[in-house]
Amino acid sequence: MYAKARGLAAGRASGEDSRRSTREGGDFHALKCRIVNALHRVRTAGWGVWVVALLLYVSLALLLQPDAEELIEEELLDLREWVAENEGMMREEHKLRSQTAHEVCAKYDVYMGQDDYIRKSTQQGEQLQYSDWFTLKRVNWNSMYYSPTEDFVYCKVPKGGSSTWVYNLLKLANVPDEQIDIRLHQRLRDYYPKMSSSTMKKTLKKSYKFMVTRHPFERLLSAYRDKLESYERDLMFRNGYYNTMYGKYIVKVYRDDSDVTLSNRTEPTWQEFVKYLINTPSSKFDEHWRPIYALCSPCVIKYNVIAKMETFSEDTQFIINQLGLEDRLHVEWIHKTSDTRTSDIATAYFSQLTLAQIDQLFEKYRLDFELFGYDYDAYRQMALDNI
């Protein structure tokens, strides 16, 4: 949204664009061009002179490069200005996202009483498995974090910008930066303790509420690469927790023992992980690959903002603005990986799967796709069958 509209948003003065253009591409690039032309002329003088000239060029380029901190500050200023100027548009976007989620909830009769739902399902057949329908009707309090001083509720979605928002919450709790380390997620409950469900129900009625979604397939891939792909990484950062709890089981059940290429591999492969997901009830999933609807209860909670990783920077700035926290927080994207959901990395992994497996994986996460407005056509094109 913001990335596509930078410099083109309505209301931005043309002088602003030209000033930024001059800032980034005027005198600095012109001078570099002159240096390059000079280098071409000295090439004929021999390699000794050429090497000296090359060193001169590199030195001048580094000296003349705009200050990184200044550029970052300018970028943040541009983002804040853009979000402020387009606040109305963003309100409508978030209203539309919320409306989409609640239309899907209504489609699956989530707002219907249990007896009526069972009667209708008996007569007309189930649209959803009862377990999924029931999950949509309840609140997962374990994912909710309430800030009483700022009066907001954040639903934490692992692999959905959670490190950034956990960091922000710890900053709001005045935790010194030197104490915010790799265990930041474990520290969060120390400062935002879980409240009783009755207290949280009252809180949800009056507080500002937000969550962050991500394309389900990108989230799954991120979880696999972070938690299960490398045993050494798991051992280093989590004392082998994910290998013990999930990796060993997945390998035992889904590994083809006749595949000699895997005889010395401890970790589950991507294909093995996908087979595990397809064949395992989502209620048994770890939170990093549990469906988002099971974490954040979008049919029960009326979120002010359903942010997306695909528009993470502007959505985060919008939330900060709405909460009046501009002086205390600024957009910091921790663990940022790719700007595109169908990245080269995704292609490398999804091209290992058959079309049938990708379709089955979609069915497993279909509610997330529908509730949050995602599709998976691009991933079907990556399938092994289509290569």
Side-chain angles (χ1 to χ4, degrees), residues 138-381:
R138 68 180 182 85
V139 177
N140 185 348
W141 303 112
N142 293 324
S143 299
M144 304 295 165
Y145 293 82
Y146 175 58
S147 172
T149 55
E150 310 302 337
D151 194 26
F152 70 78
V153 174
Y154 163 60
C155 180
K156 180 184 170 208
V157 177
K159 293 301 166 186
S162 59
S163 292
T164 295
W165 274 107
V166 168
Y167 177 78
N168 284 340
L169 264 67
L170 292 176
K171 285 181 69 175
L172 290 174
N174 297 314
V175 180
D177 283 344
E178 59 270 18
Q179 293 182 23
I180 303 177
D181 53 21
I182 60 173
R183 297 184 301 277
L184 78 169
H185 290 273
Q186 289 84 349
R187 291 179 177 273
L188 191 59
R189 278 297 180 203
D190 295 338
Y191 298 92
Y192 298 90
K194 186 179 175 182
M195 298 189 296
S196 67
S197 58
S198 59
T199 303
M200 279 300 294
K201 285 178 181 178
K202 295 177 182 177
T203 299
L204 287 172
K205 291 180 180 180
K206 64 179 181 66
S207 61
Y208 190 91
K209 299 166 284 290
F210 67 94
M211 59 176 289
V212 184
T213 69
R214 185 177 187 176
H215 191 286
F217 284 176
E218 288 290 327
R219 180 170 170 257
L220 283 180
L221 180 55
S222 177
Y224 168 74
R225 297 181 70 215
D226 183 32
K227 307 301 180 185
L228 289 168
E229 187 172 46
S230 170
Y231 176 61
E232 287 74 16
R233 176 183 173 83
D234 187 35
L235 199 60
M236 179 182 299
F237 294 108
R238 294 172 290 269
N239 200 29
Y241 172 83
Y242 279 93
N243 182 65
T244 299
M245 295 298 296
Y246 301 99
K248 289 181 180 179
Y249 171 79
I250 294 172
V251 168
K252 180 180 178 180
V253 175
Y254 297 103
R255 176 148 300 175
D256 179 1
D257 292 333
S258 65
D259 189 344
V260 294
T261 64
L262 300 175
S263 58
N264 295 319
R265 180 177 174 125
T266 301
E267 309 90 344
T269 65
W270 169 242
Q271 299 99 313
E272 291 165 350
F273 178 59
V274 169
K275 290 177 183 177
Y276 156 78
L277 293 174
I278 292 170
N279 291 285
T280 304
S282 59
S283 58
K284 295 184 178 181
F285 285 176
D286 179 79
E287 64 176 359
H288 290 84
W289 47 87
R290 188 172 300 151
I292 296 174
Y293 75 84
L295 297 170
C296 290
S297 316
C299 294
V300 183
I301 300 174
K302 297 185 184 300
Y303 287 97
N304 298 84
V305 171
I306 297 178
K308 291 189 173 187
M309 289 296 288
E310 293 77 14
T311 53
F312 188 75
S313 295
E314 52 265 48
D315 287 342
T316 300
Q317 187 64 55
F318 180 79
I319 294 167
I320 290 172
N321 290 0
Q322 296 303 300
L323 293 172
L325 298 173
E326 300 96 320
D327 295 334
R328 301 181 62 188
L329 298 177
H330 63 270
V331 177
E332 296 185 57
W333 192 339
I334 299 173
H335 294 169
K336 180 177 180 181
T337 53
S338 175
D339 291 330
T340 56
R341 60 185 186 180
T342 52
S343 62
D344 291 341
I345 293 175
T347 302
Y349 285 83
F350 278 85
S351 62
Q352 300 174 36
L353 306 178
T354 65
L355 191 58
Q357 287 175 324
I358 293 177
D359 286 341
Q360 288 175 305
L361 199 59
F362 166 77
E363 286 299 324
K364 200 76 178 186
Y365 291 87
R366 177 162 57 94
L367 284 172
D368 277 356
F369 278 93
E370 293 188 28
L371 286 162
F372 307 119
Y374 291 105
D375 65 68
Y376 78 120
D377 290 343
Y379 296 86
R380 295 185 91 243
Q381 296 301 316

Side-chain angles (χ1 to χ4, degrees), residues 28-40 42 49-65:
F28 170 60
H29 290 295
L31 182 56
K32 285 211 293 186
C33 287
R34 288 198 294 273
I35 294 174
V36 170
N37 290 334
L39 288 176
H40 285 306
V42 301
V49 176
W50 167 243
V51 170
V52 173
L54 180 60
L55 290 174
L56 176 62
Y57 166 72
V58 172
S59 301
L60 285 173
L62 290 173
L63 287 172
L64 293 170
Q65 184 69 32

